[in-house]
């Protein structure tokens, strides 16, 4: 009843997929386990998390062991006091290509609360990205909530960008910092937007950001959208979980219409006057309760005079790219490869 009342108050009306969601059985099991643990076991009602249990269950991939062939990696620590480090992925055949490679700064998801670059799923995804494009991929570790709130995550990601700009020799020789891209999924998609805004107001010597690859970015607001009302509990994402994550992320006393959350809302930081704001490739999934916020972001970018491409996968879930059994997890690499190729050639 409460959801219906919120809908009547003005939630955006938008068609939600009516087809039953069908997942391969292995993916269904994995999604169910992730949802169960993050919904009921790892998070506490008092706003804290069981960090010891999270570390136990978060399968890690050491940098010296590559689950994806022909991709090597190395870890660099920028600031041990805040556990700020990044993992560099490089295709082992890069030197034989006899050409520079674009650089992808990747920011992982997890509701600002979970996971890291050496989490097995993200390690595999970044290795696939490095091999398929091909590209040099820099996956950033940032401080997590609720131990570290806004704007720690934005500061960490931006500081890695600046560090690489000032220390280009730390990267493989094939890295072309004149063709950089920001990429992120879920919370990482939120972070790269704000890093891009900050980058437009800063000076870089070597780094030039050509585009953003935003995979189901984690945005929100006080309003309940049609997707949130019709899908309060979905695979990976639930409205209760997103509310908890925003409460753990935001400064105490702030609500979800804060500019960090509702990026296209009443308190939004305008990008209209930012000439260097990069083109955006945005991915949206039909069975994602966050989809309406993501589409509002796309529409807001277009109204702000920014270049944005929207790719919709109507019959998949939040985090689809992490599950190899889903066809969209392969399709996304074709879209990203085409986008990077086009923007890398731009003057």
């Amino acid at each position: 009843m409460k959801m219906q009342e919120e809908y009547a108050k003005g939630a955006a009306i938008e068609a939600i997929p009516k087809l039953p969601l069908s997942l391969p059985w292995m993916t269904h099991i994995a999604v169910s386990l992730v949802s169960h643990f993050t919904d009921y076991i790892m998070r506490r009602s008092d706003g804290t998390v069981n960090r010891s249990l999270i570390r136990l269950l978060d399968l890690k991939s050491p940098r010296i062991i590559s689950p994806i062939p022909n991709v090597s990696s190395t870890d660099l620590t920028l600031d041990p006091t805040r556990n700020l480090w990044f993992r560099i992925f490089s295709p082992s055949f890069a030197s034989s290509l006899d050409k520079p490679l674009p650089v992808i700064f990747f920011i992982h998801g997890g509701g600002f609360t979970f996971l890291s670059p050496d989490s097995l799923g993200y390690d595999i995804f970044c290795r696939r990205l490095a091999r398929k494009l091909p590209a040099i991929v820099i996956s950033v570790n940032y401080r997590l909530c609720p131990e570290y709130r806004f704007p720690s995550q934005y500061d960490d990601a931006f500081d890695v960008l600046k560090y690489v700009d000032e220390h280009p020799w730390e990267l493989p020789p094939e890295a072309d910092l004149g063709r950089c891209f920001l990429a992120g999924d879920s919370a990482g998609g939120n972070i790269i937007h704000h890093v891009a805004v900050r980058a437009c107001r800063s000076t870089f010597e070597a780094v030039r950001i050509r585009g953003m690859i935003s995979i189901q970015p984690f945005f929100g607001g006080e309003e309940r959208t049609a997707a949130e009302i019709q899908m309060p509990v979905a695979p990976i994402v639930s409205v209760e979980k997103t509310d908890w994550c925003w409460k753990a992320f935001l400064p105490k006393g702030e609500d979800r219409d804060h500019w960090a959350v509702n990026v296209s809302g009443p308190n939004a930081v305008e990008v209209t006057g930012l000439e260097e704001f990069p083109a955006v490739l945005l991915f949206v999934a039909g069975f994602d309760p966050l989809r309406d916020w993501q589409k509002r972001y796309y529409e807001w970018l277009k109204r702000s005079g920014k270049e944005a491409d929207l790719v919709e996968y109507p019959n998949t879930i939040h985090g689809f790219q992490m599950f190899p059994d889903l066809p969209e997890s392969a399709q996304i690499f074709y879209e990203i490869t085409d986008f990077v190729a086009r923007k890398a050639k731009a003057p």
Side-chain angles (χ1 to χ4, degrees):
M1 184 67 180
K2 184 179 179 182
M3 285 291 189
Q4 292 176 344
E5 291 173 355
E6 288 178 341
Y7 183 79
K9 289 179 182 178
I13 298 176
E14 186 169 345
I16 304 297
K18 301 298 184 182
L19 295 175
L21 177 62
S22 178
L23 297 174
W25 69 273
M26 284 293 289
T27 299
H28 178 76
I29 292 172
V31 165
S32 298
L33 287 173
V34 170
S35 297
H36 179 75
F37 278 106
T38 56
D39 280 339
Y40 304 111
I41 297 177
M42 295 178 177
R43 294 185 294 116
R44 302 187 181 110
S45 58
D46 64 358
T48 63
V49 295
N50 189 334
R51 191 63 70 189
S52 297
L53 181 60
I54 291 172
R55 293 191 186 101
L56 178 65
L57 297 177
D58 183 10
L59 298 178
K60 301 293 187 179
S61 177
R63 66 173 180 80
I64 58 174
I65 301 175
S66 177
I68 300 294
N70 300 320
V71 178
S72 60
S73 64
T74 187
D75 294 346
L76 290 177
T77 298
L78 175 55
D79 184 352
T81 65
R82 50 179 163 147
N83 195 28
L84 181 56
W85 60 274
F86 53 93
R87 178 165 290 186
I88 304 172
F89 300 90
S90 177
S92 56
F93 52 84
S95 59
S96 65
L97 294 175
D98 195 30
K99 66 177 182 180
L101 297 179
V103 176
I104 313 294
F105 288 86
F106 182 81
I107 315 295
H108 69 82
F112 304 103
T113 305
F114 308 104
L115 306 172
S116 64
D118 58 353
S119 296
L120 182 60
Y122 278 114
D123 182 89
I124 291 175
F125 178 78
C126 287
R127 291 181 190 275
R128 293 175 70 194
L129 194 60
R131 187 183 66 178
K132 289 178 177 292
L133 287 182
I136 305 299
V137 178
I138 298 172
S139 185
V140 178
N141 190 66
Y142 55 84
R143 287 170 289 179
L144 299 174
C145 301
E147 296 90 342
Y148 300 96
R149 292 176 177 265
F150 162 94
S152 299
Q153 297 72 25
Y154 301 164
D155 292 342
D156 290 349
F158 183 77
D159 286 352
V160 168
L161 190 67
K162 286 295 289 184
Y163 179 85
V164 170
D165 180 65
E166 296 167 358
H167 302 80
W169 56 87
E170 300 271 19
L171 299 187
E174 297 81 17
D176 182 359
L177 289 176
R179 297 186 296 154
C180 289
F181 294 81
L182 302 178
D185 73 319
S186 196
N190 175 296
I191 292 171
I192 64 170
H193 168 79
H194 294 291
V195 168
V197 171
R198 193 180 296 189
C200 290
R201 297 168 173 166
S202 304
T203 302
F204 291 86
E205 294 296 327
V207 166
R208 181 183 175 193
I209 301 172
R210 299 295 192 101
M212 283 201 302
I213 302 158
S214 189
I215 306 170
Q216 300 172 287
F218 186 19
F219 300 135
E222 284 296 302
E223 175 192 346
R224 291 296 187 217
T225 66
E228 289 173 318
I229 292 168
Q230 296 187 31
M231 297 183 290
V233 179
I236 305 295
V237 173
S238 68
V239 172
E240 184 276 331
K241 183 190 295 181
T242 59
D243 285 355
W244 185 98
C245 288
W246 288 129
K247 189 174 181 180
F249 169 76
L250 286 168
K252 292 183 178 181
E254 296 286 351
D255 65 23
R256 295 190 304 273
D257 279 332
H258 188 278
W259 57 265
V261 182
N262 193 349
V263 296
S264 59
N267 303 310
V269 176
E270 288 295 332
V271 297
T272 304
L274 300 179
E275 295 183 3
E276 298 300 319
F277 192 84
V280 177
L281 176 64
L282 175 64
F283 292 91
V284 174
F287 287 92
D288 183 356
L290 301 173
R291 67 189 300 268
D292 291 348
W293 293 113
Q294 295 154 5
K295 295 190 75 172
R296 288 184 186 186
Y297 176 58
Y298 167 77
E299 293 161 357
W300 174 74
L301 289 173
K302 301 293 281 188
R303 291 196 307 271
S304 300
K306 303 306 173 186
E307 182 180 350
D309 295 330
L310 176 65
V311 178
E312 295 187 79
Y313 294 140
N315 296 312
T316 196
I317 62 174
H318 190 87
F320 66 88
Q321 77 282 359
M322 306 297 286
F323 300 99
D325 287 348
L326 299 179
E328 294 86 357
S329 71
Q331 295 169 17
I332 190 173
F333 287 103
Y334 294 105
E335 300 285 354
I336 294 174
T337 299
D338 177 69
F339 177 75
V340 169
R342 287 188 289 110
K343 296 307 166 189
K345 291 179 182 178

